[in-house]
């Protein structure tokens, strides 16, 4: 089918080439990784980060205030950009394209755990080569095509080279840079040129070399930055630059993350400089976008990487902080300079818009979920229509929701939670974003007519895309505890690395520890600790609780084994059912066992992040989320 579609498109292109073809500008698509809406100086939401080159780009074109990724996680959004199709249609709904198992289609389980109302959807793990990508369409139109940076849609035979790109550097299939941003790296066949070379600097140089090599022909440059995804490291001199600028009262207070943002911005500037130097600026369309919202659940420099405030939530959530992203489009002859737009656009729109502006025919047998937003780029009145976000997963992150789908139409946003209502019905969140950008007031009960109307759009969308949907779980038991392990068992029942008390029911799932305190002495303990690490130590965690009482951390050392009241550090806990960050300092030089007592009453608790840091502040042990070697969260 792909061969037939490509052949048909090639024939159409041949006819098009003999017609009065419009000018064919070069196209540069810069995609940031995990860069949140508040991570730049574009919207007046940060006092720490510095992005002069993004401001420079915005002055050349149009800045969008209401641009959305098609998913709150990276791989689905990436596939949507290349196809103009929603992740619900493609089947890639989670960033699992680096796992060994090859799945080209999404599937759904028939049965789930007793505490879950909906069953689990398994995402496709590879970007099927049957899709006709934007790179293939442009290559057929005579463009040189190059991909630089992160891919995360599958290794060979699903790499950029099989999806229409002539060049792919560093030809890496992982969820982030291999090993670190600063060399030495761990890429399989890609080495640093010098000690401590920064991978983003290298990608910027490689992208400029591609521009220079193709300056006399049209080119499509896909520069998908590794920045600012985990692992969190940066140039030492930049980290030191930002240390004295940190406001401890600000939610954006990581000097490492600020340094990472600067490296991202500098390499945007590197491409702008090259286009100016080569006289290509007026012949080149540039898009800057991010694949999802900012990371709110890892820990770096003793805090979260960033904050998406005033938006709620972040990466891996269905709230605005997970999907509203920075976006700039500079298209000579189309966009005006220095214009700001509040038009609604989504990552699916770039495929049809690019084809339309180049005068290329539609791709046959290739249904589109995106829209041609040329009118918006020209600044004309334009109603794009609703946008949809499909996320049938529930990562263990702050502000997470059960498997869900959302629709934006105008200022209204409706989130459908699959089978979370009574007797298997769906539940809903409805927000008026014009007056409630932080999504604090759920209007679903007050506005049932709007819920019905928007939910009808969702139903039509899911049917049209053929989405694989979560099912109502036939094994759901409303009386089942969130955590079954440990019920009625001894004090030393074990879940993963953790033992727990008889007053604690414990499970570990979706990158989090889930606790139910059934009595007055809930606790979890572990001996899974690094032997060579040296203190003083600190324990950082993110937790929500509906219990009561102060928190305690007990510790055991080589010279003083066992837990006792002398070897205890207390800390205040907030039991409001919302996530809060805690950092507890342990004044000891070595550590052989650790125990966390999260209150002294019945309640439910979730620990979404739990790490141990040594005397230098480096993470020496990460239990939650369950991380890979790159220190990535449960969904990269």
């Amino acid at each position: 089918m792909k061969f037939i579609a490509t052949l048909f498109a090639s024939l159409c292109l041949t006819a098009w080439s003999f017609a009065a073809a419009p000018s064919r500008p070069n196209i540069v698509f810069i995609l940031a990784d995990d860069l949140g809406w508040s991570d730049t100086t574009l919207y007046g939401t940060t006092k720490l980060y510095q992005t002069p080159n993004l401001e420079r780009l915005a002055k050349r074109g149009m800045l969008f205030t209401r641009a959305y990724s098609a998913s709150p996680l990276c791989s689905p959004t990436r596939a949507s950009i290349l196809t103009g199709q929603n992740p619900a249609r493609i089947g890639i709904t989670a960033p699992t394209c680096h796992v060994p198992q090859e799945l080209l289609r999404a599937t759904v389980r028939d049965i789930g755990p007793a505490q879950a109302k909906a069953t689990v959807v398994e995402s496709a793990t590879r970007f099927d080569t049957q899709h006709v990508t934007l790179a293939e369409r442009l290559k057929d139109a005579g463009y040189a095509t190059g991909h630089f940076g992160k891919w995360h849609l599958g290794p060979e035979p699903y790499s950029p080279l099989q999806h229409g790109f002539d060049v792919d550097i560093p030809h890496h299939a992982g969820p982030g840079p291999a090993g670190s941003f600063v060399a030495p790296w761990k890429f399989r066949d890609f080495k640093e040129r010098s000690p401590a070379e920064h991978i983003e600097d290298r990608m910027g140089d490689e992208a400029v070399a591609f521009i220079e090599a193709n300056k006399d022909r049209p080119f499509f440059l896909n520069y998908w930055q590794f920045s600012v995804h985990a692992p969190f490291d940066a140039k030492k001199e930049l980290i030191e630059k930002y240390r004295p600028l940190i406001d401890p009262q600000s939610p954006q207070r990581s000097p490492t993350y600020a340094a990472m943002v600067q490296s991202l911005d500098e390499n945007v500037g590197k491409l702008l400089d090259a286009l100016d130097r080569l006289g290509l600026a007026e012949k080149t369309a540039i898009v800057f976008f991010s694949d999802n919202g900012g990371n709110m659940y890892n820990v770096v420099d003793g805090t979260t990487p960033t904050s998406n405030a005033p938006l709620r939530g972040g990466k891996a959530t269905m709230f605005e902080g997970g999907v509203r992203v920075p976006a700039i489009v500079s298209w000579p002859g189309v966009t005006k300079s220095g214009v700001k737009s509040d038009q609604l656009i989504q990552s699916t729109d770039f495929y049809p818009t690019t084809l339309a502006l180049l005068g290329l025919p539609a791709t046959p047998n290739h249904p589109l979920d995106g829209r041609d937003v040329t009118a918006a780029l020209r600044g004309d009145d334009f109603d794009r229509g609703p946008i949809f976000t499909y996320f049938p997963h529930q990562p263990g992150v702050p502000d997470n929701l059960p498997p869900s789908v959302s629709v934006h139409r105008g200022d209204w946003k409706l989130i459908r939670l699959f089978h979370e209502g009574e007797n298997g019905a769906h539940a809903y969140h409805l927000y008026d974003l014009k007056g409630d950008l932080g999504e604090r007031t759920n209007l679903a009960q007050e506005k049932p007519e709007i819920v019905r109307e928007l939910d009808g759009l969702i139903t039509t969308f899911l049917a049209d895309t053929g989405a694989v949907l979560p099912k109502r779980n036939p094994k759901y038991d409303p009386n089942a505890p969130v955590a079954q392990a440990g019920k009625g068992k001894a004090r030393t029942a074990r879940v993963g690395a953790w033992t727990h008390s008889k007053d604690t029911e414990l499970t570990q799932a979706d990158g989090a520890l889930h606790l139910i305190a059934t009595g007055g002495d809930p606790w979890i303990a572990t001996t899974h600790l690094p032997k060579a690490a040296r203190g003083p130590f600190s324990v950082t965690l993110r937790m929500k609780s509906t219990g009561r009482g102060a928190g305690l951390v007990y510790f055991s050392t080589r010279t003083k084994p066992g837990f006792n009241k002398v070897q205890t550090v207390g800390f205040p806990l907030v039991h409001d059912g919302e996530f809060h960050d805690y950092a507890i300092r342990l004044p000891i030089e070595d550590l052989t066992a650790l125990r966390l007592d999260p209150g002294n009453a019945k309640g439910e608790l979730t620990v979404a992040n739990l790490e141990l840091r040594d005397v230098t502040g480096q993470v020496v042990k990460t239990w939650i989320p369950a991380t890979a070697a790159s220190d990535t969260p449960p969904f990269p």
Side-chain angles (χ1 to χ4, degrees):
M1 181 64 71
K2 183 174 183 177
F3 171 76
I4 296 173
T6 303
L7 176 62
F8 183 84
S10 297
L11 292 174
C12 291
L13 287 168
T14 301
W16 170 79
S17 65
F18 286 102
S23 60
R24 294 188 295 170
N26 308 310
I27 299 173
V28 174
F29 198 110
I30 307 173
L31 183 67
D33 192 5
D34 290 359
L35 187 75
W37 191 73
S38 292
D39 285 351
T40 75
T41 52
L42 297 171
Y43 304 106
T45 52
T46 182
K47 296 181 179 179
L48 176 61
Y49 308 141
Q50 299 177 15
T51 53
N53 290 296
L54 289 179
E55 292 188 36
R56 174 182 166 195
L57 177 59
K59 290 178 181 178
R60 299 187 181 194
M62 179 171 283
L63 172 67
F64 285 89
T65 63
R66 299 181 66 205
Y68 289 87
S69 58
S71 170
L73 288 170
C74 66
S75 297
T77 298
R78 292 162 189 273
S80 77
I81 291 168
L82 291 174
T83 61
Q85 296 177 332
N86 195 279
R89 187 184 301 275
I90 299 168
I92 297 177
T93 55
T96 53
C97 293
H98 60 291
V99 302
Q101 185 180 18
E102 292 188 11
L103 298 174
L104 295 179
R105 300 290 180 269
T107 59
V108 61
R109 296 180 184 177
D110 293 325
I111 297 174
Q115 64 268 23
K117 292 185 176 183
T119 63
V120 175
V121 171
E122 299 287 350
S123 171
T125 65
R126 298 293 186 270
F127 185 37
D128 196 338
T129 54
Q130 293 300 307
H131 295 294
V132 181
T133 68
L134 182 60
E136 289 171 310
R137 293 302 313 276
L138 295 181
K139 185 174 182 177
D140 287 340
Y143 277 71
T145 56
H147 177 85
F148 300 87
K150 178 171 173 173
W151 175 246
H152 205 199
L153 289 171
E156 296 272 6
Y158 306 96
S159 79
L161 300 179
Q162 287 82 44
H163 282 287
F165 290 98
D166 301 318
V167 177
D168 176 29
I169 298 175
H171 199 57
H172 176 62
S180 63
F181 278 86
V182 179
W185 306 320
K186 297 180 181 179
F187 294 103
R188 183 173 180 179
D189 297 308
F190 190 71
K191 303 299 182 183
E192 59 269 18
R193 297 171 300 187
S194 59
E197 183 178 20
H198 194 284
I199 186 60
E200 213 61 78
D201 291 343
R202 179 65 174 276
M203 288 300 97
D205 289 347
E206 297 286 352
V208 168
F210 176 83
I211 292 172
E212 292 173 339
N214 294 283
K215 59 184 176 60
D216 297 323
R217 60 177 295 194
F219 59 79
F220 173 40
L221 169 60
N222 218 37
Y223 175 27
W224 286 6
Q225 297 181 305
F226 287 110
S227 302
V228 286
H229 191 282
F232 300 101
D233 69 325
K235 299 176 184 177
K236 292 182 179 180
E237 63 272 19
L238 290 184
I239 296 175
E240 294 307 314
K241 168 188 172 179
Y242 285 98
R243 287 195 191 280
L245 303 179
I246 296 300
D247 176 1
Q249 303 304 313
S250 170
Q252 293 177 330
R253 55 182 184 271
S254 166
T256 300
Y257 192 84
M260 296 174 74
V261 171
Q262 178 167 333
S263 288
L264 175 153
D265 183 77
E266 286 177 350
N267 283 283
V268 172
K270 185 180 295 182
L271 267 62
L272 298 181
D273 290 343
L275 294 170
D276 290 345
R277 172 171 51 83
L278 296 170
L280 298 176
E282 294 304 314
K283 303 176 182 178
T284 304
I286 304 174
V287 176
F288 179 85
F289 207 74
S290 182
D291 61 357
N292 51 247
N295 186 321
M296 293 282 289
Y297 53 81
N298 277 140
V299 175
V300 56
D301 299 325
T303 183
T304 55
T306 191
S307 167
N308 297 296
L311 307 182
R312 180 177 178 180
K315 173 182 177 178
T317 77
M318 287 290 278
F319 294 108
E320 291 292 283
V323 291
R324 188 183 289 215
V325 296
I328 305 169
V329 179
S330 173
W331 198 300
V334 179
T335 57
K336 296 179 181 179
S337 300
V339 177
K340 183 179 291 187
S341 172
D342 62 359
Q343 297 281 359
L344 195 68
I345 64 169
Q346 193 179 37
S347 56
T348 55
D349 296 336
F350 294 112
Y351 186 106
T353 303
T354 301
L355 295 186
L357 284 170
L358 297 181
L360 297 176
T363 305
N365 302 312
H366 187 89
L368 290 171
D369 301 303
R371 300 289 183 267
D372 174 9
V373 297
T374 299
L377 296 181
R378 295 189 186 281
D380 299 334
D381 290 336
F382 175 71
D383 182 4
R384 186 234 179 263
I387 63 170
F388 300 90
T389 306
Y390 181 56
F391 192 55
H393 308 284
Q394 188 178 7
V397 302
D399 274 318
N400 73 80
L401 291 172
S404 54
V405 58
S406 72
V407 58
H408 287 74
R409 191 190 65 180
D411 292 318
W412 289 109
K413 176 181 178 180
L414 180 72
I415 306 174
R416 176 201 283 186
L417 309 179
F418 289 103
H419 308 298
E420 287 294 316
E422 295 295 327
N423 299 316
H426 304 313
Y428 298 94
H429 287 209
L430 177 68
Y431 299 104
D432 179 1
L433 297 178
K434 185 175 182 179
D436 183 20
L437 186 60
E439 296 172 285
R440 297 300 175 186
T441 304
N442 182 1
L443 300 174
Q445 296 296 322
E446 299 178 27
K447 304 285 185 180
E449 70 285 356
I450 296 178
V451 171
R452 284 192 296 269
E453 185 178 355
L454 296 181
D455 195 44
L457 297 178
I458 288 176
T459 298
T460 300
F461 159 76
L462 294 174
D464 179 63
T465 57
V468 176
L469 303 178
K471 297 180 180 180
R472 182 181 179 183
N473 180 17
K475 296 292 186 181
Y476 171 66
D477 179 0
N479 297 313
V482 174
Q484 294 281 359
K487 186 175 183 179
K489 295 187 178 182
R491 295 178 64 89
T492 56
R494 178 175 294 277
V495 175
W498 298 90
T499 58
H500 56 90
S501 72
K502 65 181 180 180
D503 288 346
T504 308
E505 296 172 351
L506 176 68
T507 58
Q508 182 172 339
D510 297 327
L513 286 176
H514 304 278
L515 299 82
I516 291 183
T518 59
D521 188 26
W523 56 257
I524 58 174
T526 185
T527 57
H528 288 234
L529 296 160
K531 295 181 179 179
R534 288 290 176 265
F537 295 95
S538 61
V539 176
T540 58
L541 65 147
R542 169 163 285 194
M543 183 168 63
K544 65 179 179 180
S545 170
T546 60
R548 189 173 68 249
L552 297 172
V553 173
Y554 288 82
F555 50 86
S556 172
T557 68
R558 293 185 183 89
T559 57
K560 295 182 179 180
F563 297 128
N564 58 68
K565 292 184 178 180
V566 176
Q567 295 171 208
T568 309
V569 175
F571 63 101
L573 278 177
V574 180
H575 301 283
D576 60 359
E578 300 290 334
F579 275 99
H580 298 275
D581 294 311
Y582 303 96
I584 305 99
R585 184 175 174 82
L586 306 181
I588 50 177
E589 294 301 318
D590 68 90
L591 186 63
T592 58
L594 186 70
R595 189 177 108 179
L596 173 65
D597 289 36
N600 55 14
K602 295 181 179 181
E604 297 186 12
L605 306 94
T606 300
V607 181
N609 201 301
L610 181 52
E611 295 180 325
L612 180 70
R613 296 171 179 271
D614 65 9
V615 63
T616 67
Q618 297 298 309
V619 175
V620 292
K621 183 65 179 180
T622 301
W623 296 280
I624 301 295
T627 60
S630 62
D631 204 25
T632 54
F635 276 142

